Amino acid sequence: MSVKKITVFCGAKTGKNENYEKAAYKLGADAAKKKLTVVYGGGATGLMGAVANGALAENGEVTGVIPQFLVDREVAHPGVKDMRIVQSMHQRKLELESEGDAIIMMPGGAGTLEEFFEVFTWGQLGLHEKPIGILNVDGYFDTLKMVIDKSIEEGFLEERYLDMLFISDNLNDILEGFESYVPVKVRTYEDLK
């Protein structure tokens, strides 16, 4: 699969572990070096700001998508020239998903997890065929992996949908996985009969 733009979901805070911010900056910088456009939530703070700063430091292309109410709070990144102002969080998520060829989630809070689960669900429903990377910095998402495994074990999630996910602490491993990604066949109503 050809990936030219990656959508990044991550926290508007840096978290307590300094490696989160370092990894976010490195993700942005590495993406720029690979000529990948970074699409993200438009913020100047936290891991979001670090991703943008890393990409901009390497003269990379960055697209921000941010709702007007957050612009009004002065959290939009001033260095991002391609800043899309939308009216709601729902519009933001739609544009973030539609702009990227693939998605990468980094550490973050409820909003980051909500974005991930929404696009993971959309993939299962056939609303997109994009791979999703989870950059597991210092084991941040180990518990999430356990929850996903439990949902498979208990019959709520089909194991084949794990093929959409590329979980690693190494960005290059995730990007290599994206290159060989074959979209998962979505089960239709007819398949269930």
Side-chain angles (χ1 to χ4, degrees):
M1 167 172 215
S2 176
V3 174
K4 304 270 191 249
K5 295 180 177 183
I6 54 168
T7 291
V8 181
F9 298 147
C10 59
K13 295 182 178 181
T14 56
K16 293 182 177 180
N17 181 341
E18 66 183 21
N19 289 334
Y20 301 149
E21 187 172 16
K22 288 177 183 174
Y25 186 92
K26 185 175 185 322
L27 185 153
D30 287 354
K33 289 174 189 173
K34 294 176 186 295
K35 305 295 185 218
L36 297 170
T37 298
V38 171
V39 181
Y40 85 116
T45 62
L47 300 191
M48 279 200 282
V51 167
N53 290 339
L56 293 170
E58 296 294 334
N59 297 310
E61 296 290 323
V62 180
T63 298
V65 183
I66 190 166
Q68 184 64 54
F69 78 91
L70 289 177
V71 173
D72 295 342
R73 293 181 188 174
E74 299 180 7
V75 297
H77 197 298
V80 174
K81 292 180 179 44
D82 183 9
M83 186 66 70
R84 318 263 175 96
I85 311 298
V86 295
Q87 293 310 305
S88 70
M89 294 295 281
H90 295 294
Q91 287 175 305
R92 180 197 220 179
K93 286 185 294 181
L94 284 170
E95 189 150 344
L96 286 170
E97 184 278 320
S98 68
E99 277 294 312
D101 302 315
I103 290 126
I104 295 179
M105 176 175 65
M106 292 198 64
T112 301
L113 290 167
E114 187 262 341
E115 289 167 332
F116 160 74
F117 277 113
E118 187 152 36
V119 295
F120 186 36
T121 301
W122 290 352
Q124 292 170 54
L125 295 172
L127 300 177
H128 71 77
E129 294 186 332
K130 300 173 184 182
I132 302 168
I134 298 175
L135 191 56
N136 192 20
V137 181
D138 288 351
Y140 184 82
F141 291 113
D142 287 352
T143 306
L144 175 63
K145 287 168 31 181
M146 291 171 57
V147 170
I148 291 170
D149 289 342
K150 183 68 171 175
S151 66
I152 291 168
E153 181 185 321
E154 295 295 333
F156 291 107
L157 175 65
E158 293 179 46
E159 188 168 9
R160 64 199 178 92
Y161 290 121
L162 287 182
D163 291 345
M164 278 185 224
L165 303 180
F166 296 85
I167 305 170
S168 178
D169 61 357
N170 184 305
L171 176 63
N172 285 328
D173 291 346
I174 291 171
L175 295 176
E176 284 176 20
F178 288 173
E179 288 174 17
S180 61
Y181 176 66
V182 176
V184 176
K185 182 182 181 304
V186 174
R187 184 165 290 178
T188 66
Y189 178 73
E190 293 300 315
D191 295 329
L192 299 174
K193 288 183 179 178

